Structure formats: structure tokens, C-alpha cells
Amino acid sequence: LTAVIVIGVPESSVIAVLGSCGLAIGLALQGGLSNIASGIVLMFCKPFHVGDFIISGGISGVVKDIGIYYTLITTPDNQDIHVPNSTLSGSTITNLSTEATRRLDFDFNVSYDADLDLTRKVLLAAAQMNDLVMKDPEPVVLVTAHGASGVTVCLRVWCAAENYWTVNFDMWEDVKKAFDKFNIEIPYNHLNVTIDNK
């Protein structure tokens, strides 16, 4: 800087050029520096750990590695996604691994002609027959809405976190079979076509 000024280049021009270069470099490194800062925040605040199943920004999976720039997440269908730490720190993070138990709510539509007492008994029996459904808290059945074509009945059960998906798929199948057995109708849209031969 001294040599440039000695040969006659105005000091203000040199400082302006250096300032512009510094600004350009700062903007170029902005994303990287943001990721580093976010990585440090994630490591200290620890909203999740390696091995946790998280949902954030439309991405869900198991955390495999928390790096200084990126966090590696493996999705349920075994895809590795490298998520920028700035994206995670700026999004809502749902950690599904912090609690030992999870609740499942199943909403079923049944016909207005269906016997609600029978429907409640059938749903509770289906839940109690599943060994992975917890007995405490016990399953409950609630009427939650009167829809356009039927009544919405919610079956609420609890299970161990590791059994969540197994219980989820089992209950949908078991309830359908139970409804068929006791002739409890699940309403669906019908299309009536009338032909006028005039």
C-alpha cells in the first residue's frame, strides 16, 4: 500500500479498491461462513444427535453425521442427503427420537347410519388385539366431526417410538377388516348416472 501511494496513486482510490475486493470476497464466502456458524450452533445447542430421526424443511431421516458445513441425513428409503447447516438452523426441527413413546391418531369416516357404540367397541378391540399398542395410556375413541357424508371417529393409541410405523400400518389394515366383519360402512363418493331416452 505504501509503495503504491509513493508512486503517485491516490490513497483514497487504493482504499476504495481494497474495500471493494474485501466486500466481494465477503459476499462470496457468505454461504460458507453461514454454514460454519450454523454448524457451531447445532453442535452446542444440540437440537438433535447422531442416530436421531428428524423432520426439517420437508426432509426426514436419521442423522448420520453432523459436520461443520453439512449434516448427513439418511432417508427411510436409504438416500443420503447432505443438508447445509444454515438450512437446518433456520428451519423448524422436529426430533422424533427424544421421547420413548409416541401417539398415533387414526381418523375414520363411518356412515351416519353406523352404530357409534358398536364402532367404538370395534375400534377399541382392534387396538387391544395389537400387542405393540400400549395399555397405559389406554386407547380411546373420540367423535371429532360431522362430515358431509359421514361421521369422523378418531382412534388414539400410544406405542413405543421404535414401533410407530409397524403399529401405523397394522392398525389401518386391522380396522378395515374389523369394519367389514361388523358391516360398519366407510362412506365414499358415489356417482349416479340417469339416462333420459326422450
Side-chain angles (χ1 to χ4, degrees):
L1 176 59
T2 303
V4 171
I5 294 174
V6 166
I7 64 176
V9 179
E11 182 178 350
S12 60
S13 299
V14 175
I15 293 175
V17 171
L18 291 177
S20 299
C21 292
L23 179 61
I25 293 172
L27 291 174
L29 295 176
Q30 182 179 8
L33 294 175
S34 177
N35 283 333
I36 292 174
S38 298
I40 294 172
V41 170
L42 291 175
M43 290 177 182
F44 276 95
C45 294
K46 297 180 179 179
F48 53 81
H49 301 82
V50 173
D52 288 352
F53 191 101
I54 67 170
I55 301 173
S56 179
I59 299 172
S60 61
V62 177
V63 177
K64 293 293 183 164
D65 182 58
I66 306 172
I68 196 67
Y69 281 92
Y70 298 98
T71 294
L72 175 61
I73 296 177
T74 301
T75 63
D77 56 348
N78 209 32
Q79 298 182 39
D80 286 341
I81 300 178
H82 296 267
V83 184
N85 288 331
S86 59
T87 301
L88 287 175
S89 65
S91 303
T92 300
I93 300 172
T94 302
N95 192 333
L96 303 180
S97 300
T98 54
E99 302 296 334
T101 59
R102 291 184 63 184
R103 192 184 81 189
L104 296 91
D105 290 354
F106 300 94
D107 288 327
F108 301 100
N109 288 325
V110 299
S111 169
Y112 278 106
D113 295 330
D115 185 334
L116 287 181
D117 291 331
L118 175 61
T119 301
R120 179 176 281 105
K121 291 178 182 178
V122 169
L123 288 173
L124 290 175
Q128 291 164 357
M129 289 177 61
N130 191 316
D131 294 334
L132 298 180
V133 172
M134 298 175 62
K135 303 301 184 284
D136 184 23
E138 63 182 9
V140 295
V141 175
L142 307 167
V143 176
T144 57
H146 296 166
S149 59
V151 179
T152 302
V153 182
C154 176
L155 170 63
R156 181 172 291 172
V157 302
W158 289 82
C159 68
E162 63 270 17
N163 296 329
Y164 179 88
W165 289 111
T166 302
V167 173
N168 179 71
F169 296 131
D170 285 350
M171 289 308 304
W172 283 112
E173 180 176 347
D174 293 345
V175 168
K176 176 61 170 66
K177 292 178 178 177
F179 278 3
D180 291 345
K181 180 178 180 180
F182 288 92
N183 296 316
I184 298 174
E185 180 185 354
I186 300 176
Y188 57 92
N189 292 331
H190 293 76
L191 178 62
N192 294 325
V193 179
T194 302
I195 300 176
D196 189 351
N197 293 322
K198 292 181 181 180

